Every structure is written in C-alpha cells, then in structure tokens.
Amino acid sequence: MTKALAPKDRIFVGLDTPDIERAVSIAKSLVGAVGGIKIGKELFTAQGPDGVRLVAGGAPLFLDLKFHDIPNTVAGAVRAAVHLRPAILNVHASGGRAMMQAAGQAARETAEDLGVERPKVIGVTVLTSLDAQDLEEVGQRGPAEDQVLRLARLTQDSGLDGVVCSPREIAAIRKACGPDFLLVVPGIRPSWSSSDDQKRVMTPEEAIAEGADHLVIGRPIAAADDPLAAARRITEDLSGTLVN
C-alpha cells in the first residue's frame, strides 16, 4: 500500500542543467508546490557542493549521483554527501552487497556525528533509458524486469531503504519487497508530455496507482514555459488518483 503523502510531496523535480541561475530560478518558483529537488551529475559537476546548496535552499534534496566504486570509496563519497543534508541519496545496486552495506553504514554514522536526520539511501536498479536489447548488449540476458527484481532484493538484503526503478517494475518490486520499501520512480511523463529518451515510462497517476512513493519528474516541469503551472497541473491530476 502506497504511503500516505500529499500529492505535491511525492514529486521531486529534476534540475539537470549546468546553468546555476536557471536552476535557482526554477527551484525558487516551485517552493511549496513540490516535495523537493533532484540534483544530478550535470549540475553537481558544473557547480559543485556550493551550487547544490544554493539551488536546493531549504527544500528536501534528492542527491542523484549514483555512486558506484569499491566499498571504501563509496563510503567516503557518502560521508561527504551527507554534509549536503540530502533527504535521499543513491548508489548503483550493481556495485554489490559490500558496497551498499558500506554506503548505508557511512550514512548512518555521518548523520549521527552531525546530529542530522539520516538520509534515505537507495539503490539504482536498471536505468530507465535501457531496455532488454540494451541489457543484452552488455551481457545481461532476459527481460529488464528480471534484473531489476534481482537488484531490488539485493538492495533490501543489504539494508538500504529502497530503490530507484522504472515505472514498469513498481508492482513487481512492491510485491517482492513489501510496503515499506521506498520506491523512487523516474521515467514519469504526463499524458500531455513527450517521452524524450526514456523507454520505460508511465504517467504520474499510473505510477502512484502501481505503488510508487516518490516520482522524479524533470523536463515536463523544468523545461515548461511555466514550471509552477506544470507542477500544479500534475499535482491536480494526482489529487484525483490518491486515496490516503
């Protein structure tokens, strides 16, 4: 059963741009209209931690850097990331059990040392830009869903809070991992928006009905002529779907 959250609180808006002024402008325009801001590699690489702080302001932050390295290196990266006070941060589940356990431990210990709330640490299963053919080219045979479920179970067994997954695997992961496993879902496109480079997509209403907790929505809001109006339109659509 999907957790009882207000429609707006389910939305993290992806600000995937190196333009700090644009990112700050969009973030400020959305204060109070969405649940938080997702910042990924493009903005982080261009603007660094100070840029992240400036854009996020006081809004909940999903720090989408997808750490994937040896356990010690990932633990160090997570310790540094917790200083940015993210609500959620992620690692690649394909980095394995030891890496994910190290990430979870680093998040717990650093948050305790700083006296702040521990961020949710989640695993990235299979990128939403990949389909079965793409996976076969890198040596993964079988449907994308099989790999997603394998990595979701490994993430849960490693003690992390949840996963990033495609909308198409929400129901299967919810069934396999239970109601308290956090599902953060990109590849969300309103019916009035294009799918862009995402291959496994779903509308916001469909994703919530399937059991998603949080939706990551980028271009349909951030690239809109009026980001606030776009966010409100999505929230209104969700309000007709959610029964808390």
Side-chain angles (χ1 to χ4, degrees):
M1 182 182 220
T2 305
K3 299 172 182 63
L5 294 170
K8 72 177 182 63
D9 291 333
R10 294 179 177 275
I11 300 171
F12 278 81
V13 177
L15 297 180
D16 299 313
T17 173
D19 186 336
I20 191 73
E21 292 183 359
R22 174 170 172 74
V24 168
S25 175
I26 294 171
K28 285 184 176 180
S29 75
L30 295 173
V31 170
V34 296
I37 299 298
K38 188 215 74 157
I39 292 177
K41 290 184 176 71
E42 187 172 6
L43 194 150
F44 185 85
T45 302
Q47 303 295 338
D50 288 342
V52 171
R53 293 186 181 95
L54 183 62
V55 173
L61 169 65
F62 172 18
L63 190 61
D64 179 28
L65 299 182
K66 301 183 180 74
F67 297 130
H68 188 176
D69 213 309
I70 64 173
N72 186 61
T73 298
V74 168
V78 169
R79 283 193 289 270
V82 173
H83 285 260
L84 293 173
R85 309 291 197 272
I88 304 172
L89 61 84
N90 59 8
V91 301
H92 267 291
S94 55
R97 184 186 303 270
M99 188 204 78
M100 286 193 280
Q101 289 175 335
Q105 181 177 352
R108 287 191 299 273
E109 293 176 350
T110 307
E112 184 176 349
D113 290 344
L114 294 174
V116 300
E117 185 174 353
R118 178 185 67 83
K120 302 290 187 182
V121 183
I122 61 177
V124 178
T125 54
V126 175
L127 298 174
T128 55
S129 60
L130 302 180
D131 58 19
Q133 181 178 343
D134 297 318
L135 290 174
E136 186 170 351
E137 288 178 348
V138 297
Q140 176 59 51
R141 301 303 174 103
E145 182 179 300
D146 290 353
Q147 177 71 346
V148 170
L149 285 176
R150 183 161 42 246
L151 291 173
R153 291 189 182 102
L154 178 60
T155 300
Q156 188 173 48
D157 289 345
S158 300
L160 299 193
D161 298 288
V163 292
V164 180
C165 68
S166 154
R168 301 298 176 184
E169 288 91 41
I170 296 169
I173 296 175
R174 184 60 73 208
K175 181 178 179 181
C177 298
D180 297 323
F181 197 58
L182 188 68
L183 300 187
V184 179
V185 185
I188 300 297
R189 292 292 182 269
S191 58
W192 40 267
S193 175
S194 68
S195 64
D196 300 305
D197 60 353
Q198 308 283 356
K199 294 184 178 178
R200 304 194 316 282
V201 300
M202 193 175 279
T203 68
E205 304 95 296
E206 291 169 338
I208 293 299
E210 286 288 294
D213 292 309
H214 292 292
L215 310 178
V216 177
I217 304 177
R219 281 164 282 193
I221 295 176
D225 291 337
D226 186 340
L228 178 58
R232 285 176 171 165
R233 182 175 179 182
I234 293 170
T235 298
E236 289 170 3
D237 290 342
L238 286 177
S239 295
T241 300
L242 286 165
V243 178
N244 290 328

